[in-house]
Amino acid sequence: MERTVLTLNEFVVNTRSRGIGGQIRGFFGFGSKKKTTGPTFAESKPEVAPSPASSGENNPTYLLNSVESSQKRLADYLFMLQDYNEALNIYKNSSKDFLNDKSWKWVASSFEMIGLATFLLDPMRKDTESNFENAYVNYYKDNLFRFAVRTAFFCAEILKSKGQHAVAGNKLANTAIDMEEDYLCSGMLYEQAAFAFLHADSPRKYAFRLVQAGQSFVEAKQMTHAFRCFSAISPLYYNRNWHFINDEMYFYLARCGFSLGHHQRATDHIIKLLEHNYQDPYQQSSYLREFLHICKKNLEEQNIERMEIPLPAIKNDTVVAFLRDYPSRSPLQEMWKEMEESLKGEKIVYNRYKPVPIKKRTPRLSVLGEPIYVEIELSNPLQIPLQFSDLQLGAVHESSKDKKDDGEGELFVCSKFDLLLTPCESKRTRFTITPLCEGKLEITCIKFLLCSTVRGFQKILLPKKRLNDTSDQKKGVFYEDNLDLTVKVTSSMPLLDVSFSDFPPAMLQGQLFEIQMQLKNSGKSALNSVSVKMSHPAFFSFGKEEENKSQVSVSIESLLPGESKSFPVWIRAHKIGNYSFYFLFSYQSEVPNPEMKHRFQRVSKQLKVLPSIKLEATTTVSYSSLNAYLLDIQVNNISDESETAITEDFELISLSSNSHNWIIEPLNKKSNDEMFKIAQNQSTNFFFRIIPALEDQVEDESTNSFISKHSLSSNSQKDLSSIPSFDFLEREKMMIAAKEKKRAVPGAENSNATPLNKRESNLDLMLLWRTTADFSKITLPYGGPNHPSSSNKMEVVGQQNSCFIPFLIPATVDQVLSEEDDNPLRFSIECPRKVIHDFNQE
């Protein structure tokens, strides 16, 4: 190499030192266009030939024995011998000759070597980047892209060594833009630019350039490199709500993973494209086709039956499980629970000075062979319709021996149905599962066939309640297991079905109506001890009543499987308004079951009560007798004009009184039928005398009180003796007493109110009436059919009560005070009742 350097140096020096004329000719490029026929250094410049890649420009190519080529070779040898300073000088001189000859590739190579020599002499020199920039521009001008890329990498590495990673990244990114037609090269440049930005602590630019690199690799069919790039940036874009970037990233990951045979990873990525609704319908349709194709290949590869799919979307906070159509999270759950405890006879009283015991939540009990209902709100998050076939529940059954799923061994049976969800539609769907074996059943998911192609399932994740009872739970974060979808299956039990025939949806206030209650045993064993708890006991009368009248025992000794019995039930519309009645039936199995001693059946009915007539009664002291009072009864027709139920005037039938000490009798013994018919918005008054009851008068043994009944109409009427008038009166009195007891302040005495224990001397009135009504046009607040009567018009009978009429104390010969009397003080004089005088003696 040294001998070659000496030879080349001697040739170059001899050629360049021929005088000033030769230097001038060499400077202007004259006299050096002769060809050299051999490998000698006799001539200064060879003849040049145009480059085929010069695009018509003057781009000469130097032969090996030319002065320019020899000078370039000399500089290269000096560079390899690490004489960088001398090599730099020769490169600079050669670049001027090449620039004069417009030989761009030689100019570019000279500037490239000048940059390298300058960096090796002094790494901190600032003109190094400019030399590489000139080399890159000339390489690119001569379409030598391969060498241009090499120059860009040299420049980038030099910038990195100086700590200028961001500048190096920009340099590589700009080079990638220039090389965009070569996808593989541009992808490599974008990837290196991304790593430069990563060292420059610019994560967003790093991610952006890596995305560009992945796209370029995809275009170059280099799926391995593309998958590596997109996998590297996926954690950076996770949970940033950059939906369009995420969609493109997951789409490329799925497609690259599928091309490489990673079907499971491709499935995981393509699923994420279907979890939100930001794409247009055409894009979503394309994603869905890709999803179905990838999932089908994945199922075939892994040889599994189903895979988890995020479609349809489940609103987990709306999931409700029903046992015999009873929702576990109903807003009335507390009311039903109190009624159940009342029927069981259980009443737990906690000591305020002792800590309340913490009850561990246990699964609910279900009966073998009885269906369990689960309501789930399913929604379609996409803008395209979705078809689901064979939609059913998935569950896990635990027994003492083994644990099986999917109904293996006939452990449970699930109902199947098809569902079509239109774009962005939400639909509440009811599923059914029937356990066929005792044990523990946990509902975990829903199963389906998506678009008749892929079998999948969707897990049900119920919200959990945070525990905050103990000190450890308050310090940490602990959650209670949600057992709403977990049930314990016990042995077969009786099943009571209750139905009310001809239950009226609308009635007039005080109207009496008889319906039939039918009890049927749909279970597999006999039942007995049937009782019912009512939410509104003042409205109903049936069966054998308990002490509080809100609980009734039904007279059934035994009800065999498949057997049914009917019982009459009377309804009286107690007050005006819209009501929801709740009945809780309790019964027991004749075969004892320690896990389930009582079974309950819930029934609810709705009723709209319309205005009818109003009864008002006032009493005054009678002036004709010390032991009598005057009873003023005013009856008002308050039926609403907007309601078209009443078609005829009200006709008053009879008036009855109930008291422990008093009876009533009419003041006028003459009957006048017309005065006891009341039209709409009219009123009438009639008067009675209240007198003490005598010992020989009739006393009702059931109520231990005196009852007097007076007819107000002489028209023929049907037999009304079956109406439980006094039962409804006692129920209304019970409701009034319960309200006053609830309103009373403990320890306080109200001097103006009559105590309940002293009201036995008061008087109660019962007024029977009839009219004709049409309920077919009534607007019901709960919907449903109108009155069950076949005809539009029907005759109705009602009863208005007036309880605890005041100011009635046992009369004596002493003075009687009354707040409404005009004479506040009266005197009586005692005298013999019978005086015998013989006037003949006079």
Side-chain angles (χ1 to χ4, degrees):
M1 290 180 65
E2 292 180 355
R3 286 196 299 268
T4 304
V5 169
L6 293 175
T7 303
L8 291 174
N9 184 47
E10 182 179 358
F11 173 72
V12 172
V13 170
N14 291 336
T15 304
R16 293 301 185 185
S17 61
R18 289 182 178 181
I20 190 169
Q23 295 179 8
I24 293 175
R25 285 194 300 271
F27 179 78
F28 289 101
F30 299 121
S32 62
K33 304 298 181 183
K34 294 182 181 180
K35 288 186 178 181
T36 302
T37 58
T40 62
F41 303 101
E43 301 293 338
S44 61
K45 280 192 177 182
E47 184 178 352
V48 295
S51 174
S54 60
S55 302
E57 296 183 0
N58 187 14
N59 190 12
T61 301
Y62 302 98
L63 298 180
L64 183 62
N65 56 357
S66 64
V67 177
E68 288 78 2
S69 178
S70 300
Q71 190 173 5
K72 179 70 166 56
R73 289 169 60 199
L74 175 61
D76 293 339
Y77 277 108
L78 292 173
F79 185 85
M80 287 186 289
L81 293 173
Q82 298 185 2
D83 191 358
Y84 302 124
N85 194 9
E86 189 64 28
L88 178 61
N89 294 332
I90 296 175
Y91 282 135
K92 288 183 178 181
N93 293 332
S94 299
S95 64
K96 297 178 182 179
D97 295 335
F98 299 147
L99 189 60
N100 292 334
D101 293 337
K102 296 183 180 179
S103 182
W104 307 121
K105 62 181 178 181
W106 293 82
V107 173
S109 64
S110 298
F111 277 113
E112 183 180 6
M113 297 308 297
I114 290 172
L116 290 175
T118 303
F119 174 74
L120 293 174
L121 289 172
D122 186 4
M124 302 308 296
R125 290 184 60 173
K126 297 182 179 180
D127 57 344
T128 304
E129 292 83 3
S130 62
N131 292 324
F132 282 109
E133 183 67 27
N134 291 331
Y136 175 81
V137 170
N138 287 282
Y139 277 137
Y140 191 82
K141 186 186 297 184
D142 205 25
N143 296 332
L144 299 174
F145 303 124
R146 173 183 173 186
F147 301 105
V149 172
R150 183 187 65 187
T151 304
F153 274 112
F154 281 151
C155 183
E157 292 300 324
I158 291 174
L159 291 171
K160 291 178 185 178
S161 66
K162 296 180 179 181
Q164 300 178 6
H165 295 281
V167 180
N170 290 328
K171 176 65 178 177
L172 293 172
N174 293 333
T175 306
I177 295 173
D178 295 338
M179 305 298 169
E180 59 183 3
E181 295 182 358
D182 188 351
Y183 297 113
L184 180 59
C185 181
S186 62
M188 181 182 61
L189 289 167
Y190 278 129
E191 186 177 12
Q192 293 300 318
F195 292 147
F197 285 120
L198 181 63
H199 286 87
D201 197 16
S202 298
R204 295 184 63 179
K205 291 185 178 181
Y206 158 74
F208 177 68
R209 296 306 179 187
L210 211 56
V211 169
Q212 290 180 310
Q215 291 175 338
S216 299
F217 284 134
V218 169
E219 296 293 336
K221 310 299 181 184
Q222 299 293 324
M223 297 301 178
T224 303
H225 302 299
F227 190 79
R228 182 188 68 248
C229 293
F230 287 114
S231 299
I233 62 172
S234 58
L236 297 178
Y237 290 112
Y238 186 71
N239 285 339
R240 286 185 176 268
N241 294 328
W242 295 347
H243 306 292
F244 298 105
I245 296 178
N246 289 333
D247 289 347
E248 187 168 357
M249 179 183 62
Y250 291 133
F251 178 74
Y252 281 122
L253 281 171
R255 177 166 289 184
C256 295
F258 182 77
S259 300
L260 296 174
H262 303 158
H263 294 159
Q264 181 58 45
R265 300 181 68 179
T267 303
D268 296 339
H269 293 304
I270 197 67
I271 282 176
K272 296 180 180 179
L273 292 173
L274 305 177
E275 294 179 349
H276 51 77
N277 188 16
Y278 296 100
Q279 308 97 352
D280 57 86
Y282 301 102
Q283 191 69 35
Q284 288 181 354
S285 179
S286 175
Y287 286 161
L288 183 61
R289 288 194 298 270
E290 293 264 356
F291 169 77
L292 295 175
H293 181 66
I294 293 175
C295 291
K296 187 176 181 181
K297 291 293 183 181
N298 187 25
L299 292 176
E300 294 176 356
E301 178 186 0
Q302 298 187 9
N303 194 20
I304 57 177
E305 183 182 0
R306 299 180 185 274
M307 61 181 303
E308 187 174 2
I309 300 175
L311 297 175
I314 298 177
K315 296 184 179 179
N316 294 304
D317 55 344
T318 63
V319 178
V320 180
F322 297 79
L323 299 179
R324 287 298 320 278
D325 292 339
Y326 302 156
S328 61
R329 288 186 286 177
S330 170
L332 302 174
Q333 185 66 18
E334 293 297 328
M335 180 201 69
W336 290 117
K337 187 175 180 180
E338 291 180 0
M339 295 174 70
E340 289 180 5
E341 292 178 355
S342 176
L343 283 175
K344 291 179 181 179
E346 298 176 356
K347 187 174 182 181
I348 301 176
V349 180
Y350 297 111
N351 192 339
R352 58 181 297 184
Y353 300 104
K354 294 183 180 180
V356 179
I358 301 174
K359 286 187 176 181
K360 186 178 180 180
R361 192 175 180 186
T362 57
R364 290 179 292 173
L365 281 175
S366 177
V367 178
L368 181 68
E370 294 185 7
I372 302 172
Y373 304 93
V374 179
E375 282 194 358
I376 305 175
E377 186 171 347
L378 304 178
S379 62
N380 179 10
L382 305 182
Q383 301 183 41
I384 55 177
L386 295 176
Q387 174 67 39
F388 300 94
S389 306
D390 297 337
L391 203 60
Q392 60 178 323
L393 288 174
V396 176
H397 187 276
E398 267 187 61
S399 62
S400 57
K401 297 181 180 180
D402 54 3
K403 179 177 181 180
K404 297 182 180 180
D405 193 10
D406 296 333
E408 297 180 2
E410 296 297 329
L411 296 176
F412 53 86
V413 176
C414 300
S415 62
K416 299 181 181 180
F417 59 93
D418 298 337
L419 179 65
L420 176 64
L421 292 178
T422 58
C424 303
E425 181 188 8
S426 295
K427 185 177 294 184
R428 193 162 187 85
T429 311
R430 174 173 288 192
F431 297 82
T432 305
I433 182 172
T434 304
L436 303 178
C437 183
E438 296 184 27
K440 182 179 178 182
L441 184 67
E442 181 180 0
I443 301 171
T444 58
C445 62
I446 60 172
K447 300 178 181 180
F448 50 84
L449 177 63
L450 177 60
C451 298
S452 303
T453 305
V454 178
R455 293 190 177 275
F457 68 92
Q458 175 76 302
K459 291 183 179 179
I460 303 175
L461 303 176
L462 297 177
K464 296 183 179 181
K465 179 183 178 182
R466 182 172 178 178
L467 298 176
N468 196 27
D469 299 326
T470 64
S471 59
D472 293 338
Q473 293 173 355
K474 293 179 181 179
K475 293 178 182 178
V477 179
F478 299 92
Y479 292 93
E480 182 184 19
D481 293 336
N482 197 324
L483 301 178
D484 288 348
L485 297 182
T486 304
V487 294
K488 184 178 181 181
V489 183
T490 186
S491 59
S492 300
M493 293 283 290
L495 180 62
L496 181 65
D497 290 333
V498 182
S499 61
F500 293 95
S501 60
D502 299 334
F503 194 94
M507 296 177 65
L508 298 176
Q509 182 190 10
Q511 178 184 344
L512 297 166
F513 192 80
E514 185 181 14
I515 62 175
Q516 293 293 323
M517 178 183 68
Q518 185 175 7
L519 305 181
K520 181 180 180 180
N521 185 2
S522 301
K524 298 181 180 180
S525 59
L527 63 87
N528 55 17
S529 303
V530 181
S531 59
V532 57
K533 179 80 173 180
M534 298 173 288
S535 61
H536 297 74
F539 282 79
F540 302 93
S541 173
F542 59 104
K544 181 181 178 182
E545 301 174 1
E546 303 291 340
E547 183 177 356
N548 57 3
K549 292 186 180 294
S550 63
Q551 182 172 332
V552 176
S553 296
V554 183
S555 57
I556 294 181
E557 294 182 358
S558 178
L559 193 62
L560 300 177
E563 185 181 2
S564 62
K565 292 184 180 181
S566 297
F567 300 89
V569 178
W570 280 92
I571 307 176
R572 177 178 175 268
H574 176 52
K575 284 187 177 181
I576 303 172
N578 300 320
Y579 294 93
S580 294
F581 304 117
Y582 303 100
F583 306 89
L584 183 64
F585 289 83
S586 172
Y587 57 98
Q588 298 179 5
S589 174
E590 291 188 352
V591 180
N593 189 339
E595 294 182 346
M596 185 179 292
K597 296 181 180 180
H598 298 81
R599 294 213 69 184
F600 299 96
Q601 170 69 10
R602 300 175 184 177
V603 180
S604 61
K605 291 292 182 179
Q606 289 77 34
L607 177 65
K608 181 176 183 179
V609 181
L610 305 174
S612 57
I613 62 174
K614 182 180 180 182
L615 175 63
E616 295 181 354
T618 58
T619 59
T620 57
V621 177
S622 174
Y623 291 98
S624 62
S625 176
L626 292 178
N627 295 333
Y629 296 86
L630 292 180
L631 177 62
D632 180 10
I633 299 177
Q634 182 178 2
V635 183
N636 300 319
N637 187 345
I638 59 173
S639 58
D640 192 358
E641 295 181 357
S642 60
E643 301 287 354
T644 58
I646 303 173
T647 58
E648 293 185 2
D649 297 342
F650 282 90
E651 180 182 357
L652 306 184
I653 301 175
S654 64
L655 178 68
S656 302
S657 66
N658 177 40
S659 177
H660 291 280
N661 300 301
W662 305 91
I663 60 173
I664 62 173
E665 61 180 9
L667 292 179
N668 188 4
K669 299 298 178 75
K670 297 180 181 180
S671 61
N672 186 3
D673 298 339
E674 298 298 329
M675 67 178 295
F676 298 123
K677 287 188 176 181
I678 309 174
Q680 190 174 13
N681 297 328
Q682 292 185 0
S683 63
T684 184
N685 291 73
F686 45 93
F687 299 89
F688 285 81
R689 178 182 290 108
I690 303 175
I691 60 176
L694 302 179
E695 295 181 358
D696 56 348
Q697 291 178 330
V698 179
E699 183 178 6
D700 189 2
E701 297 180 356
S702 60
T703 59
N704 195 21
S705 60
F706 295 96
I707 298 175
S708 59
K709 182 177 180 181
H710 302 276
S711 176
L712 302 178
S713 175
S714 61
N715 295 335
S716 61
Q717 53 181 293
K718 61 181 181 180
D719 185 19
L720 302 178
S721 60
S722 61
I723 298 177
S725 300
F726 293 96
D727 184 22
F728 283 115
L729 176 65
E730 293 299 321
R731 290 178 177 274
E732 187 169 349
K733 292 169 66 176
M734 178 195 68
M735 296 299 297
I736 295 175
K739 286 184 178 180
E740 292 191 359
K741 184 177 180 181
K742 186 177 180 180
R743 294 174 183 175
V745 179
E749 296 183 357
N750 190 353
S751 58
N752 297 327
T754 304
L756 296 177
N757 56 2
K758 294 184 179 180
R759 288 192 172 185
E760 59 182 10
S761 301
N762 293 356
L763 184 70
D764 304 318
L765 298 178
M766 294 169 287
L767 177 65
L768 287 179
W769 50 267
R770 72 158 61 94
T771 187
T772 304
D774 181 8
F775 295 96
S776 60
K777 299 181 181 180
I778 300 299
T779 303
L780 303 178
Y782 306 101
N786 290 332
H787 204 279
S789 177
S790 58
S791 59
N792 292 334
K793 294 183 180 181
M794 59 179 298
E795 181 181 350
V796 297
V797 177
Q799 171 184 331
Q800 303 298 117
N801 299 331
S802 180
C803 305
F804 302 124
I805 299 177
F807 312 121
L808 296 182
I809 58 176
T812 62
V813 295
D814 298 330
Q815 60 183 12
V816 179
L817 298 178
S818 175
E819 295 181 358
E820 298 181 358
D821 196 359
D822 296 333
N823 301 322
L825 186 62
R826 298 178 62 198
F827 294 92
S828 63
I829 301 175
E830 290 188 3
C831 61
R833 294 289 183 180
K834 184 177 180 181
V835 178
I836 299 175
H837 178 70
D838 187 6
F839 290 95
N840 294 325
Q841 294 180 1
E842 296 180 353

